[in-house]
Each structure stands twice: as C-alpha cells, then as structure tokens.
Amino acid sequence: MFFGKMRRLASRLSFRLTLWYAGIFILTSTVAFVFFYLFIISVTRERTDQELNQKIGQFAVMLSIQGVDELKRAAILESQAAGEKKLFIRLLYPTGVVFSSTNMSYWRDIDVDRSAVQQLLDGNDPVFQTISIDDRKNKVRVAYSIIGQDLLLQVGYSMEADTRIIEAFKRTFISTMAMLMITSALIGWFLARRALVGVERVTQTAGEITEEQLEKRVPTTGRGDEVDRLAVTFNRMLDRIQKLVAGTMEMNDNIAHDLKSPITRIRGLAEITLTGDGSIESFRRMAGDTVEQCDRLLDMVNTMLVISEAEAGVGKMTMEIIDIQALIHNACELFSPIAEDKGLKLECSSGEPCRIKGDRPMVQRVIANLLDNAIKYTPAPGRVEVMVDAGSANGEPLKIHIIDTGIGIPASDHQLIFKRFFRCDQSRSRPGNGLGLSLAKAVVLVHGGNISVESSRGKGSRFTISIPKFISASKSSDSNQPLSL
C-alpha cells in the first residue's frame, strides 16, 4: 500500500516538477560550493606562501648582515616563538645535506626533497610543496630557497589554520545545504502547485462535463499566460463540441422525422388495405404506394451516402469534358413545364461556349437541385433565371448563377442551409428532406469549386457556383504563342 501511494505520488506532474526544481538547485549549489572551496584553498595557500616568502626574505637579509651563526640562533627562536609543531627551519648545503635545523622531533617524517633542491639549482627560486603526513589531519606547506652563497633554506609551515577555515566552510555548507534543500523542495512544491492550478481547473471541468452538462467551462484569469491560453483553447473546443452535439441531435431528429413520415404512410396503407374489401386492385395500389415510399427512403439514404463519400474524398466519379451551356439548356428545358404549371417564368442565358471537367450526372444533379429549390420557393407570378458567366481570362473560374424572386433566406441561415437535413421551413410542411444543398456543396467542392448564396427574406435568392474551366492543352499552347503583325 505504501509503494502504491509512492507510485501515485511519483506519477504526479507537481512532484516531478518539484524534483526537477530541487535537483537543479542542488546541482547549482554544489557547483558553487566546489568553486568557492577551490577559491578558499587558493587564497589560503597564497597567503601561506606569502608568509613563507616573507620569512625567507627576513632570513636572507639576516644572513647577509649578521652571518650564519646569528641566522641559526634566529631560526631556533622563530620556531619556538611560532611553536615547534607549527614551524620548522633547516639550513642546507647545495648538495642537500642539512648542517643546521630547529627541533625536528615533530617533523622527522619530512625529509629534504632532492628534486626540489635540483629545481633551485636550475634557477627556480623559490620552490613550494604541500606534503601530507600519515595519521595527521593537517598538511604542511614547505618552501625551498637560496638565501646565500652555497646556502639553502627549507621552511615548513603547518596548514592547521587553513584546515580549520576549510573545515568550518564545509560544516557551514552542509548545514546550509540541508536547510536550503528542504526550503527549495517546499518552494518548488508551492510553485509547481501554483503553476498547475489552471491545469487542475481544466481537469476538474473535464471531469464534470457529461452529456447533459456540456455548458461547463473552465474559468480564466485573463493573465494571458500558458495555462490561461490552455483554458481558453479548451473552452473553445467545448464550444465546438457543444455545437456538434447539438447539430447531431438536431440532425437525428430530422432523420427520425423524415423516416417516420414514409414509414407511417406505408403502415397506414397496409392497415387500410387489410381492413378493406381485400380486392386485388387495393393490394396493387398498396404495393405501388409502398414502392413509391421505399423509393423516397432509398433516395434519401443514397443521397446521404453520396454526400459522405464526396466530403471524405472517396467517391468514385467519372470525369469527362462537359459542355456546360448544353447541360444548362437541357436542364431549363426539363424544368420549363414545371415552372409554367406554377405560373413562373424560367429564363436561361448560357453566354459564351465553355467547358468543364467533371462527373456529368453529379453536375446535372447539382443544377437540378438548385432549379428545383428556386421553383419550389418562388410564388407566382415570379421569375427564375439561370446565367452562365464564362469569365474574361483563362484563369478565371466559370460561374453559374441561379436567381429567383422567391421568399428568400434569412441572413442567419445562409451558412446553415448547406448542412444536412437543415430546412428553413422548421415545420417541414413542404416536400423535401434538406439534403439538396448539402449534396450540391459537396459535389462542387469535389470539383475544386465553391458555392455561395446572396439572399434576404422576401427579396429572392441568388446562388452562385464557381468551378474551374477546362482548358485544352492545344488551346493553352496557342494562347502562349506570340502575336504576329
């Protein structure tokens, strides 16, 4: 159980951030300690060397003024005054043989270093050494120097004071580091928890969100930091999810309504036929009506599949060169009787000849859907016009305009009419399933074009299809030829 709690604690981001903070702090503190430790050692050694140099200078002056005998006596007095366990002095011949020294009982483990004597004779004056003695805590700093003709001086000084300074520094550092480690861990934990408060809010809000509580949002502070931007982005994502869920629910309701109507009719026809006289004619009528209603259902399902395939880019389309003027002319001829029966005037202006590359049945279906909607929602006496604008330059897209004087579309619905099953007629009293414009947009986009609407309530509508024109290779090469005068 204890290890389980430790694993859960180690998995928390705040705990890992605290470890990182404390680890970086300890590392930088250790580097600083090493730097100051080496600096203190260098300073204390330099101070000791200066003292030894000062004593060497004093003895050299005394030798030149008062002679060797006075120098011997002064060396003994100097050693006794400083303490025989702190300072020793030897007078040497250039061969390294000792001819005079202070009391060496405490320093008997320190001999004359022949290599240091040789360095002196080679011109390196003075020569310093640091010597460690077994079973002794304090090191010894030894200096060799030439103080007179055929006379060398060896001075040894205990580094006890330096050792005390360094040991005090170590103790201070360890105790200070222990306190700083605890403090840094606490500060790191506080900073990590404070930095992750926003993430905790996001997590809490995500946990509170259910299918019935999509309106929950993460509170923001307005500071504009990374966590605040995360909260804003999360809230925007929730807004999109809420809109998608609402749209999905609305679409499901629409699908249910559009499926319910034909199924209800089929059941009603079957019920009436079963309770009727049982004649062959009544069963034939029921079969015919059932086939008609099934065709409506199949048409709706097939249209949904075509839209899904087109939007996913997996639909199988047979691309060919299409004469758009001929296609528009045929569509107008097809819908002219319907428009005349409703008391509408259908006009077709095909303009200059131009071609596109596309799937002929799909393009025909797009034009048919737009013409059908224009006639359906335009009361008599009204007018529906189809215009083709080939554009002035090769790079300009072909534009097809379907214009009517119908009831119009509110501006708030301009983007919604291209969604599946959306209908401006919320009562759904008019025939249709709300898939025509969605199919038109999906097909146009697959052909590399776009579809837009300009409309306002009571002032008619103007749908514009923009689609790339087909330019043959020979025509393109001809257009690139220079003009001849």
Side-chain angles (χ1 to χ4, degrees):
M1 185 174 181
F2 171 76
F3 291 107
K5 290 182 178 179
M6 289 301 297
R7 281 196 298 271
R8 286 194 297 271
L9 180 63
S11 65
R12 299 186 64 176
L13 181 58
S14 56
F15 179 76
R16 295 200 296 272
L17 287 175
T18 302
L19 287 182
W20 272 102
Y21 180 84
I24 292 173
F25 180 82
I26 292 171
L27 179 62
T28 53
S29 299
T30 303
V31 172
F33 166 76
V34 172
F35 173 78
F36 283 111
Y37 178 76
L38 295 176
F39 177 74
I40 290 173
I41 290 177
S42 175
V43 169
T44 54
R45 181 171 296 174
E46 184 178 353
R47 187 193 64 183
T48 302
D49 290 349
Q50 288 177 353
E51 291 180 357
L52 290 174
N53 271 328
Q54 186 178 5
K55 292 187 181 299
I56 290 172
Q58 291 174 354
F59 287 133
V61 172
M62 185 176 295
L63 175 64
S64 63
I65 297 175
Q66 299 180 7
V68 175
D69 293 334
E70 189 63 29
L71 177 61
K72 293 179 181 178
R73 190 176 67 83
I76 295 172
L77 294 176
E78 182 74 21
S79 175
Q80 292 175 348
E84 293 181 348
K85 292 184 178 181
K86 291 185 178 181
L87 180 70
F88 72 88
I89 301 170
R90 283 177 176 157
L91 296 176
L92 313 174
Y93 291 119
T95 57
V97 177
V98 178
F99 75 87
S100 178
S101 69
T102 60
N103 187 0
M104 298 296 295
S105 60
Y106 185 74
W107 307 102
R108 61 178 174 272
D109 294 326
I110 299 178
D111 296 325
V112 175
D113 190 340
R114 301 291 178 176
S115 63
V117 173
Q118 187 60 45
Q119 290 181 41
L120 280 177
L121 298 177
D122 291 340
N124 297 322
D125 189 12
V127 176
F128 292 97
Q129 292 180 335
T130 301
I131 300 174
S132 297
I133 301 176
D134 295 339
D135 301 329
R136 292 190 190 179
K137 182 172 65 174
N138 302 321
K139 295 181 179 180
V140 182
R141 188 68 169 167
V142 179
Y144 293 85
S145 180
I146 300 175
I147 60 173
Q149 187 175 5
D150 299 330
L151 186 60
L152 309 182
L153 178 67
Q154 180 192 39
V155 182
Y157 187 79
S158 175
M159 301 178 69
E160 180 182 355
D162 298 345
T163 304
R164 282 200 303 268
I165 293 174
I166 294 173
E167 290 295 328
F169 176 75
K170 288 180 180 179
R171 288 193 299 270
T172 303
F173 174 79
I174 292 173
S175 59
T176 304
M177 278 296 297
M179 292 187 294
L180 288 178
M181 285 175 60
I182 297 173
T183 305
S184 64
L186 294 176
I187 293 175
W189 178 260
F190 172 77
L191 292 177
R193 293 290 299 173
R194 184 176 178 82
L196 295 175
V197 166
V199 179
E200 292 285 349
R201 288 200 298 265
V202 173
T203 305
Q204 183 179 359
T205 303
E208 292 175 354
I209 291 174
T210 62
E211 189 175 346
E212 293 79 18
Q213 291 184 327
L214 286 174
E215 70 282 354
K216 288 278 188 180
R217 294 295 181 270
V218 180
T220 57
T221 60
R223 290 195 297 264
D225 54 13
E226 289 81 358
V227 177
D228 208 43
R229 291 200 297 271
L230 172 64
V232 171
T233 304
F234 189 77
N235 288 339
R236 288 175 181 170
M237 181 190 69
L238 290 177
D239 292 337
R240 290 195 295 270
I241 291 174
Q242 189 173 14
K243 289 179 181 178
L244 287 173
V245 171
T248 303
M249 294 176 66
E250 182 180 356
M251 186 174 68
N252 290 338
D253 292 341
N254 294 334
I255 293 174
H257 183 277
D258 290 333
L259 289 176
K260 179 181 178 182
S261 298
I263 293 174
T264 302
R265 291 192 190 98
I266 293 172
R267 188 183 185 283
L269 289 170
E271 201 172 302
I272 292 172
T273 303
L274 289 175
T275 58
D277 55 7
S279 62
I280 296 296
E281 186 62 28
S282 64
F283 279 101
R284 284 178 178 171
R285 285 196 302 271
M286 183 194 72
D289 291 337
T290 302
V291 169
E292 182 181 352
Q293 298 300 325
C294 288
D295 286 342
R296 285 185 59 191
L297 289 174
L298 286 174
D299 180 65
M300 182 174 67
V301 172
N302 289 332
T303 302
M304 291 174 60
L305 289 175
V306 171
I307 294 172
S308 298
E309 290 175 353
E311 290 178 344
V314 297
K316 295 180 180 179
M317 293 191 179
T318 305
M319 295 297 186
E320 59 179 297
I321 309 304
I322 304 171
D323 184 349
I324 201 67
Q325 284 85 356
L327 188 145
I328 296 292
H329 182 73
N330 293 336
C332 289
E333 284 188 348
L334 180 65
F335 280 90
S336 288
I338 302 174
E340 289 177 4
D341 291 343
K342 195 175 177 183
L344 304 177
K345 185 179 181 181
L346 177 59
E347 298 177 355
C348 180
S349 303
S350 57
E352 296 180 3
C354 60
R355 298 178 297 171
I356 65 170
K357 188 174 183 180
D359 187 288
R360 184 181 295 274
M362 286 297 172
V363 176
Q364 288 174 337
R365 193 167 180 181
V366 170
I367 302 299
N369 283 346
L370 293 175
L371 280 174
D372 181 64
N373 282 348
I375 294 171
K376 185 190 303 180
Y377 293 103
T378 301
R383 181 174 60 88
V384 176
E385 182 180 2
V386 182
M387 298 173 55
V388 179
D389 181 6
S392 58
N394 289 336
E396 232 180 279
L398 168 75
K399 292 185 179 180
I400 305 171
H401 305 281
I402 292 90
I403 308 166
D404 65 64
T405 58
I407 60 176
I409 304 170
S412 58
D413 292 342
H414 284 184
Q415 296 299 321
L416 300 176
I417 58 175
F418 295 104
K419 293 185 176 181
R420 302 183 200 182
F421 296 102
F422 180 82
R423 296 171 67 178
C424 296
D425 177 19
Q426 297 298 326
S427 64
R428 309 182 82 82
S429 58
R430 296 177 183 268
N433 51 28
L435 291 174
L437 290 178
S438 181
L439 173 67
K441 183 173 183 179
V443 171
V444 171
L445 289 177
V446 168
H447 285 77
N450 191 24
I451 184 171
S452 60
V453 60
E454 299 173 21
S455 180
S456 58
R457 185 177 290 279
K459 295 184 179 181
S461 302
R462 181 189 187 101
F463 284 86
T464 301
I465 299 173
S466 300
I467 195 166
K469 290 182 294 187
F470 173 76
I471 303 175
S472 63
S474 60
K475 185 175 180 180
S476 177
S477 62
D478 291 343
S479 65
N480 292 327
Q481 294 295 325
L483 294 176
S484 58
L485 298 177

XYZ file of all heavy atoms in Angstrom, residues 204-270:
524
model
N -10.590 19.308 -13.681
C -11.830 19.253 -12.921
C -13.039 19.511 -13.818
O -14.047 18.814 -13.730
C -11.783 20.276 -11.791
C -13.014 20.252 -10.889
C -12.907 21.277 -9.762
O -11.914 21.975 -9.645
N -13.932 21.370 -8.948
N -12.909 20.515 -14.683
C -14.023 20.818 -15.585
C -14.275 19.658 -16.542
O -15.431 19.297 -16.799
C -13.723 22.099 -16.386
O -13.479 23.170 -15.471
C -14.873 22.464 -17.295
N -13.182 19.065 -17.070
C -13.346 17.922 -17.977
C -14.035 16.758 -17.267
O -14.846 16.040 -17.867
C -11.982 17.488 -18.516
N -13.716 16.572 -15.971
C -14.370 15.506 -15.213
C -15.834 15.786 -14.931
O -16.653 14.859 -14.787
N -16.206 17.076 -14.835
C -17.593 17.428 -14.547
C -18.479 17.425 -15.787
O -19.703 17.421 -15.677
C -17.640 18.817 -13.904
C -17.028 18.865 -12.508
C -16.983 20.275 -11.950
O -17.319 21.217 -12.712
O -16.618 20.440 -10.772
N -17.834 17.450 -16.964
C -18.619 17.509 -18.195
C -19.243 16.146 -18.472
O -18.567 15.119 -18.477
C -17.741 17.938 -19.381
C -17.332 19.392 -19.218
C -18.476 17.758 -20.707
C -16.358 19.865 -20.247
N -20.527 16.146 -18.667
C -21.257 14.944 -19.062
C -22.102 15.280 -20.281
O -22.082 16.401 -20.787
C -22.156 14.444 -17.922
O -23.136 15.461 -17.620
C -21.341 14.146 -16.668
N -22.835 14.310 -20.738
C -23.683 14.526 -21.914
C -24.740 15.583 -21.650
O -25.171 16.281 -22.555
C -24.338 13.202 -22.312
C -25.056 13.262 -23.651
C -25.587 11.908 -24.063
O -25.182 10.907 -23.465
O -26.406 11.870 -24.987
N -25.154 15.716 -20.389
C -26.182 16.695 -20.046
C -25.599 18.005 -19.549
O -26.341 18.958 -19.310
C -27.124 16.134 -18.961
C -27.983 14.958 -19.420
C -27.219 13.651 -19.426
O -26.152 13.597 -18.762
O -27.651 12.704 -20.103
N -24.277 18.097 -19.365
C -23.669 19.307 -18.809
C -22.548 19.813 -19.715
O -21.427 20.050 -19.272
C -23.122 19.036 -17.407
C -24.196 18.805 -16.358
C -23.600 18.626 -14.973
O -22.510 18.096 -14.828
N -24.301 19.084 -13.960
N -22.864 19.984 -20.982
C -21.854 20.480 -21.920
C -21.632 21.980 -21.786
O -20.748 22.533 -22.434
C -22.281 20.158 -23.357
C -22.147 18.698 -23.775
C -22.737 18.492 -25.163
C -20.692 18.263 -23.759
N -22.435 22.650 -20.961
C -22.277 24.098 -20.828
C -21.178 24.469 -19.839
O -20.836 25.640 -19.693
C -23.590 24.740 -20.385
C -24.005 24.440 -18.941
C -24.615 23.062 -18.770
O -24.812 22.382 -19.804
O -24.908 22.665 -17.629
N -20.578 23.502 -19.162
C -19.489 23.777 -18.221
C -18.287 24.365 -18.958
O -17.939 23.930 -20.053
C -19.067 22.491 -17.502
C -20.071 21.988 -16.468
C -19.895 22.734 -15.173
C -20.749 22.111 -14.062
N -20.582 22.826 -12.798
N -17.631 25.363 -18.314
C -16.450 25.971 -18.907
C -15.384 26.182 -17.838
O -15.700 26.330 -16.643
C -16.790 27.322 -19.562
C -17.725 27.224 -20.768
C -17.081 26.471 -21.901
N -17.950 26.393 -23.061
C -18.823 25.413 -23.275
N -18.923 24.425 -22.395
N -19.564 25.403 -24.358
N -14.126 26.221 -18.279
C -13.010 26.435 -17.359
C -12.883 27.936 -17.083
O -12.834 28.734 -18.023
C -11.696 25.911 -17.963
C -10.534 26.131 -16.996
C -11.822 24.442 -18.331
N -12.864 28.347 -15.814
C -12.690 29.787 -15.528
C -11.299 30.259 -15.930
O -10.305 29.551 -15.738
C -12.887 29.870 -14.005
C -12.614 28.487 -13.493
C -13.038 27.549 -14.590
N -11.209 31.436 -16.504
C -9.935 32.018 -16.926
C -9.592 33.218 -16.045
O -10.474 33.851 -15.465
C -9.997 32.455 -18.395
O -11.076 33.385 -18.561
C -10.251 31.258 -19.301
N -8.284 33.497 -15.974
C -7.815 34.601 -15.133
C -7.593 35.885 -15.916
O -7.525 36.955 -15.328
C -6.488 34.210 -14.447
O -5.504 33.934 -15.462
C -6.682 32.949 -13.601
N -7.441 35.767 -17.232
C -7.198 36.961 -18.043
C -5.742 37.393 -18.062
O -5.420 38.443 -18.617
N -4.845 36.602 -17.429
C -3.428 36.978 -17.415
C -2.746 36.712 -18.748
O -1.706 37.277 -19.038
C -2.694 36.210 -16.308
C -3.070 36.633 -14.896
C -2.067 36.105 -13.890
N -2.039 34.666 -13.866
C -2.714 33.916 -13.009
N -3.498 34.488 -12.113
N -2.629 32.605 -13.042
N -3.300 35.820 -19.540
C -2.730 35.531 -20.851
C -1.529 34.618 -20.813
O -0.801 34.520 -21.808
N -1.278 33.928 -19.683
C -0.135 33.021 -19.637
C -0.497 31.696 -20.322
O -1.585 31.534 -20.869
C 0.311 32.788 -18.186
C -0.836 32.301 -17.305
O -1.884 31.907 -17.844
O -0.692 32.325 -16.073
N 0.459 30.730 -20.274
C 0.266 29.482 -20.989
C -0.952 28.720 -20.483
O -1.735 28.175 -21.281
C 1.518 28.589 -20.854
C 2.738 29.076 -21.616
C 3.486 30.165 -20.878
O 3.033 30.571 -19.787
O 4.536 30.622 -21.390
N -1.124 28.656 -19.171
C -2.262 27.926 -18.611
C -3.566 28.623 -18.964
O -4.575 27.970 -19.268
C -2.095 27.788 -17.082
C -3.301 27.105 -16.474
C -0.830 27.007 -16.744
N -3.564 29.948 -18.960
C -4.771 30.689 -19.325
C -5.116 30.448 -20.795
O -6.299 30.281 -21.145
C -4.559 32.178 -19.068
C -5.857 32.902 -18.760
O -6.675 32.347 -17.986
O -6.080 33.992 -19.292
N -4.099 30.411 -21.653
C -4.358 30.116 -23.068
C -4.871 28.695 -23.240
O -5.718 28.435 -24.102
C -3.085 30.326 -23.892
C -2.667 31.795 -23.996
C -1.729 32.015 -25.167
N -0.489 31.283 -25.026
C 0.587 31.756 -24.416
N 0.576 32.970 -23.870
N 1.696 31.044 -24.337
N -4.361 27.766 -22.412
C -4.874 26.401 -22.453
C -6.356 26.369 -22.084
O -7.155 25.676 -22.734
C -4.064 25.518 -21.490
C -4.593 24.094 -21.261
C -4.543 23.292 -22.555
C -3.793 23.391 -20.163
N -6.729 27.123 -21.053
C -8.132 27.175 -20.645
C -9.007 27.762 -21.748
O -10.097 27.252 -22.024
C -8.273 27.983 -19.360
N -8.523 28.837 -22.385
C -9.289 29.459 -23.474
C -9.453 28.473 -24.626
O -10.550 28.319 -25.191
C -8.586 30.750 -23.946
C -9.248 31.287 -25.213
C -8.626 31.810 -22.854
N -8.361 27.776 -24.996
C -8.438 26.794 -26.084
C -9.378 25.652 -25.718
O -10.163 25.184 -26.558
C -7.034 26.234 -26.379
O -6.150 27.314 -26.673
C -7.060 25.280 -27.549
N -9.327 25.208 -24.465
C -10.207 24.128 -24.013
C -11.670 24.570 -24.075
O -12.541 23.799 -24.499
C -9.821 23.734 -22.589
C -10.521 22.498 -22.089
C -10.127 21.236 -22.486
C -11.599 22.604 -21.220
C -10.774 20.105 -22.029
C -12.254 21.482 -20.755
C -11.836 20.223 -21.154
N -11.931 25.815 -23.677
C -13.301 26.325 -23.734
C -13.794 26.420 -25.175
O -14.968 26.125 -25.465
C -13.389 27.691 -23.056
C -13.260 27.596 -21.546
O -13.489 26.541 -20.967
N -12.881 28.687 -20.901
N -12.911 26.841 -26.087
C -13.308 26.893 -27.498
C -13.607 25.508 -28.034
O -14.549 25.317 -28.811
C -12.189 27.541 -28.318
C -12.040 29.038 -28.085
C -10.846 29.583 -28.834
N -10.676 31.012 -28.592
C -9.609 31.698 -28.965
N -8.617 31.093 -29.614
N -9.531 33.002 -28.703
N -12.805 24.540 -27.609
C -13.061 23.168 -28.022
C -14.414 22.688 -27.505
O -15.185 22.027 -28.224
C -11.946 22.259 -27.514
C -12.100 20.794 -27.913
S -10.923 19.720 -27.066
C -11.545 19.805 -25.393
N -14.727 23.047 -26.243
C -16.022 22.675 -25.689
C -17.164 23.347 -26.448
O -18.222 22.732 -26.651
C -16.087 23.063 -24.202
C -15.195 22.243 -23.253
C -15.317 22.788 -21.833
C -15.589 20.777 -23.284
N -16.948 24.601 -26.871
C -17.975 25.283 -27.668
C -18.239 24.526 -28.962
O -19.399 24.329 -29.363
C -17.548 26.720 -27.980
C -17.517 27.602 -26.740
O -18.217 27.256 -25.762
O -16.799 28.628 -26.741
N -17.152 24.105 -29.629
C -17.323 23.367 -30.877
C -18.001 22.022 -30.630
O -18.875 21.607 -31.403
C -15.965 23.162 -31.548
C -15.355 24.449 -32.097
C -14.211 24.148 -33.045
N -13.098 23.514 -32.375
C -12.094 24.168 -31.822
N -12.059 25.486 -31.844
N -11.104 23.513 -31.237
N -17.595 21.349 -29.552
C -18.207 20.056 -29.239
C -19.696 20.234 -28.962
O -20.535 19.438 -29.421
C -17.494 19.396 -28.048
C -16.075 18.970 -28.446
C -18.276 18.196 -27.540
C -15.249 18.444 -27.298
N -20.025 21.283 -28.196
C -21.428 21.520 -27.876
C -22.242 21.789 -29.147
O -23.358 21.286 -29.303
C -21.549 22.700 -26.915
C -22.965 22.896 -26.354
C -23.001 23.963 -25.281
O -22.061 24.722 -25.126
N -24.089 24.026 -24.545
N -21.655 22.576 -30.071
C -22.354 22.840 -31.330
C -22.509 21.559 -32.145
O -23.558 21.318 -32.748
C -21.602 23.893 -32.128
C -21.678 25.295 -31.544
C -20.893 26.286 -32.381
C -20.950 27.687 -31.772
N -20.137 28.665 -32.560
N -21.439 20.731 -32.163
C -21.518 19.479 -32.914
C -22.562 18.540 -32.325
O -23.332 17.906 -33.066
C -20.153 18.794 -32.926
C -19.076 19.442 -33.815
C -17.735 18.756 -33.584
C -19.474 19.355 -35.274
N -22.580 18.455 -30.991
C -23.571 17.581 -30.348
C -24.977 18.088 -30.624
O -25.887 17.308 -30.939
C -23.297 17.495 -28.833
C -24.442 16.788 -28.124
C -21.989 16.769 -28.566
N -25.156 19.427 -30.501
C -26.480 19.993 -30.781
C -26.881 19.750 -32.236
O -28.032 19.394 -32.535
C -26.481 21.485 -30.473
N -25.909 19.928 -33.160
C -26.209 19.673 -34.562
C -26.515 18.214 -34.829
O -27.413 17.897 -35.619
N -25.774 17.324 -34.154
C -26.032 15.889 -34.328
C -27.409 15.513 -33.810
O -28.145 14.741 -34.454
C -24.950 15.070 -33.603
O -23.665 15.428 -34.105
C -25.174 13.585 -33.794
N -27.776 16.063 -32.652
C -29.101 15.774 -32.107
C -30.193 16.312 -33.024
O -31.209 15.634 -33.261
C -29.219 16.386 -30.705
C -28.294 15.745 -29.677
S -28.353 16.558 -28.068
C -30.035 16.174 -27.581
N -29.973 17.524 -33.548
C -30.969 18.095 -34.456
C -31.070 17.259 -35.726
O -32.174 17.010 -36.240
C -30.584 19.533 -34.789
C -31.594 20.232 -35.694
C -31.178 21.662 -36.005
O -30.157 22.113 -35.463
O -31.875 22.303 -36.800
N -29.898 16.823 -36.248
C -29.912 16.010 -37.449
C -30.604 14.675 -37.196
O -31.369 14.180 -38.034
C -28.484 15.770 -37.940
C -28.416 15.057 -39.280
S -26.736 14.926 -39.925
C -26.018 13.802 -38.742
N -30.365 14.085 -36.016
C -31.042 12.833 -35.682
C -32.553 13.025 -35.622
O -33.314 12.160 -36.079
C -30.525 12.301 -34.348
C -29.096 11.800 -34.442
O -28.618 11.462 -35.522
N -28.405 11.749 -33.315
N -32.967 14.167 -35.047
C -34.409 14.443 -35.010
C -34.975 14.574 -36.412
O -36.072 14.063 -36.708
C -34.667 15.727 -34.214
C -34.342 15.571 -32.736
O -34.271 14.412 -32.274
O -34.125 16.595 -32.054
N -34.212 15.272 -37.289
C -34.678 15.449 -38.661
C -34.739 14.118 -39.402
O -35.684 13.856 -40.159
C -33.773 16.428 -39.404
C -33.850 17.831 -38.843
O -34.862 18.218 -38.252
N -32.783 18.606 -38.992
N -33.702 13.290 -39.194
C -33.708 11.974 -39.837
C -34.895 11.152 -39.356
O -35.600 10.501 -40.149
C -32.382 11.236 -39.554
C -31.215 11.941 -40.255
C -32.447 9.790 -40.008
C -29.856 11.365 -39.917
N -35.116 11.192 -38.032
C -36.246 10.444 -37.484
C -37.565 10.925 -38.082
O -38.450 10.125 -38.418
C -36.266 10.580 -35.967
N -37.700 12.251 -38.231
C -38.943 12.807 -38.796
C -39.101 12.391 -40.256
O -40.195 11.974 -40.689
C -38.923 14.332 -38.675
C -40.172 14.992 -39.156
N -40.396 15.270 -40.487
C -41.288 15.410 -38.490
C -41.575 15.841 -40.633
N -42.136 15.946 -39.431
N -37.989 12.498 -41.037
C -38.082 12.151 -42.453
C -38.272 10.659 -42.677
O -38.820 10.256 -43.702
C -36.834 12.634 -43.185
C -36.794 14.156 -43.297
O -37.882 14.763 -43.294
O -35.694 14.731 -43.364
N -37.786 9.831 -41.760
C -38.012 8.395 -41.864
C -39.405 8.007 -41.384
O -40.017 7.074 -41.903
C -36.958 7.634 -41.053
C -35.532 7.634 -41.600
C -34.608 6.922 -40.629
C -35.477 6.953 -42.964
N -39.874 8.749 -40.395
C -41.171 8.403 -39.807
C -42.308 8.601 -40.798
O -43.237 7.770 -40.867
C -41.397 9.262 -38.559
C -42.728 8.999 -37.871
C -42.892 9.910 -36.669
C -44.249 9.687 -35.999
N -44.439 10.601 -34.869
N -42.249 9.689 -41.591
C -43.360 10.009 -42.490
C -43.612 8.899 -43.512
O -44.746 8.385 -43.608
C -43.107 11.347 -43.190
O -43.027 12.384 -42.237
N -42.620 8.473 -44.309
C -42.902 7.402 -45.268
C -43.239 6.073 -44.615
O -44.090 5.329 -45.110
C -41.621 7.309 -46.094
C -40.573 7.966 -45.287
C -41.261 9.001 -44.472
N -42.584 5.787 -43.491
C -42.894 4.518 -42.819
C -44.327 4.536 -42.285
O -45.055 3.534 -42.364
C -41.879 4.254 -41.683
C -40.490 3.996 -42.276
C -42.313 3.085 -40.825
C -39.400 3.867 -41.255
N -44.744 5.694 -41.769
C -46.127 5.813 -41.289
C -47.110 5.646 -42.434
O -48.173 4.988 -42.285
C -46.327 7.180 -40.614
O -45.394 7.305 -39.539
C -47.736 7.322 -40.069
N -46.774 6.226 -43.602
C -47.658 6.079 -44.752
C -47.737 4.626 -45.202
O -48.823 4.121 -45.537
C -47.148 6.962 -45.899
C -47.283 8.451 -45.642
C -47.048 9.241 -46.922
N -46.945 10.676 -46.641
C -45.816 11.335 -46.521
N -44.666 10.694 -46.639
N -45.820 12.634 -46.274
N -46.592 3.964 -45.233
C -46.591 2.549 -45.626
C -47.459 1.729 -44.688
O -48.268 0.889 -45.104
C -45.149 2.009 -45.662
C -44.350 2.676 -46.793
C -45.123 0.495 -45.836
C -42.877 2.348 -46.783
N -47.300 1.988 -43.384
C -48.102 1.224 -42.414
C -49.577 1.546 -42.561
O -50.444 0.659 -42.463
C -47.625 1.542 -40.994
C -48.257 0.674 -39.937
C -47.821 1.053 -38.538
N -48.346 0.142 -37.559
C -49.603 0.134 -37.107
N -50.486 1.023 -37.587
N -50.014 -0.748 -36.222
N -49.860 2.860 -42.777
C -51.274 3.239 -42.935
C -51.904 2.605 -44.154
O -53.060 2.111 -44.098
N -51.183 2.591 -45.268
C -51.698 1.954 -46.480
C -51.941 0.467 -46.269
O -52.969 -0.085 -46.694
C -50.705 2.159 -47.632
C -50.588 3.582 -48.191
C -49.406 3.691 -49.136
C -51.884 3.981 -48.894
N -50.965 -0.176 -45.588
C -51.132 -1.606 -45.322
C -52.332 -1.857 -44.419
O -53.105 -2.809 -44.628
C -49.847 -2.159 -44.682
